[in-house]
Amino acid sequence: MGTVTIGVSIAVPEPHGSRLQQLRAGFGDAAAHGIPTHVTLLPPTEVDDAGLPAVEAHLGEVAAAGRPFPMRLSGTGTFRPLSPVVFVRVVEGDEACTWLQKRVRDDSGPVARELQFPYHPHVTVAHGIEEAAMDRAFEELADYEAEWPCTGFALYEQGADGVWRKLRDFAFGSTVVPPQSGQVDRGSVSAH
């Protein structure tokens, strides 16, 4: 019996996902093309591959209890100096993400785990690269805006090549999406 490394996340949909992934690669983050643009609900976690059906069943229950919600990204933030990360901020949908990640990691489930840092929903756009490039990412995406209706999340597996691949989507139990907060120029980036 082997182990696999899994993660659970909300994918940033097109055209936003590809745009942020291209920008991340442009800042010099070599991992950019192996990591779909996302908001993490469960960070990389090693599990027995025989336990994947139990993980999928658990995620199905979490999704069935979830409801669609508006997601909105706006501006940048950083975890520096604690962690070498620059991110785009989740400014709407953060409470729903926090609720979901708690359910995914619940002590009664198959992927119960403690986090290294307190949960903070975000979209990474630079990780572990040189400081000047981190500063550039922070500045160039300071005016970034995107929004979409979040209707579910997905289970991913990290391959031996380091690339994350989707195993399965999990749709929320309701199809009603609350209205978006306001009019936003979707996917815009300032020209600094």
Side-chain angles (χ1 to χ4, degrees), residues 4-7 34-35 44 156-165:
V4 293
T5 300
I6 62 167
I35 305 173
Y156 291 82
E157 179 181 344
Q158 186 177 36
D161 57 0
V163 174
W164 287 90
R165 293 175 180 86

Side-chain angles (χ1 to χ4, degrees), residues 6 8 42 51-65 100-112 153 155 168 170:
I6 62 167
V8 178
L42 176 73
L52 276 177
V55 171
E56 291 189 19
H58 171 65
L59 294 176
E61 291 172 10
V62 171
L100 283 167
Q101 65 88 28
K102 284 181 185 173
R103 298 317 175 279
V104 169
R105 296 185 304 103
D106 189 81
D107 289 341
S108 66
V111 286
F153 56 84
L155 172 65
R168 181 175 166 193
F170 294 89

Side-chain angles (χ1 to χ4, degrees), residues 106-174:
D106 189 81
D107 289 341
S108 66
V111 286
R113 66 168 287 183
E114 291 296 317
L115 298 178
Q116 184 178 1
F117 300 105
Y119 182 74
H120 181 83
H122 64 280
V123 177
T124 298
V125 291
H127 181 221
I129 59 177
E130 65 180 51
E131 287 296 317
M134 299 276 270
D135 292 341
R136 200 172 113 235
F138 187 87
E139 292 164 13
E140 286 186 18
L141 291 172
D143 296 328
Y144 186 83
E145 298 278 340
E147 67 179 73
W148 68 92
C150 180
T151 58
F153 56 84
L155 172 65
Y156 291 82
E157 179 181 344
Q158 186 177 36
D161 57 0
V163 174
W164 287 90
R165 293 175 180 86
K166 188 183 333 181
L167 295 179
R168 181 175 166 193
D169 283 309
F170 294 89
F172 293 136
S174 170

Side-chain angles (χ1 to χ4, degrees), residues 10-25 27 32 35-39 70-74 88-89 123-125 141 143-150 180 182-189:
I10 296 169
V12 175
E14 295 309 324
H16 316 300
S18 291
R19 175 77 176 127
L20 288 173
Q21 191 175 42
Q22 289 168 353
L23 288 165
R24 183 174 178 174
F27 298 134
I35 305 173
T37 308
H38 68 282
V39 175
M71 282 281 279
R72 187 164 67 91
L73 307 179
S74 181
V88 173
R89 297 181 307 123
V123 177
T124 298
V125 291
L141 291 172
D143 296 328
Y144 186 83
E145 298 278 340
E147 67 179 73
W148 68 92
C150 180
Q180 296 297 117
Q183 299 299 320
V184 173
D185 179 16
R186 298 177 194 284
S188 63
V189 178

